Amino acid sequence: MSDSEHYDPLSPRRRENEDPQERRMPRGVVIRLFAYLVAGHVIAAFLYLLFVVAGSK
């Protein structure tokens, strides 16, 4: 029998080195979040520049 047959997700028991909450986000998520934030700000700056140039005429 394997451990998965005896696994109860509602059981309060935890393994010794098992943390109930992850402490850090995965590296891929951090990189993607940073890229999206940078790209979002670049797009916002470009749109702002378009409005400034169009409004100056």
Side-chain angles (χ1 to χ4, degrees):
M1 296 185 123
S2 66
D3 288 339
S4 62
E5 294 176 8
H6 299 290
Y7 177 71
D8 181 13
L10 301 178
S11 175
R13 291 180 288 132
R14 278 187 238 117
R15 294 184 183 141
E16 283 183 19
N17 293 331
E18 185 179 0
D19 194 5
Q21 190 175 25
E22 290 186 24
R23 296 292 176 199
R24 297 182 61 186
M25 290 173 35
R27 179 179 230 149
V29 173
V30 171
I31 292 171
R32 236 177 299 149
L33 178 64
F34 181 74
Y36 291 155
L37 285 173
V38 169
H41 282 87
V42 168
I43 291 169
F46 178 70
L47 289 174
Y48 177 76
L49 179 66
L50 285 179
F51 280 101
V52 168
V53 169
S56 67
K57 291 184 179 183

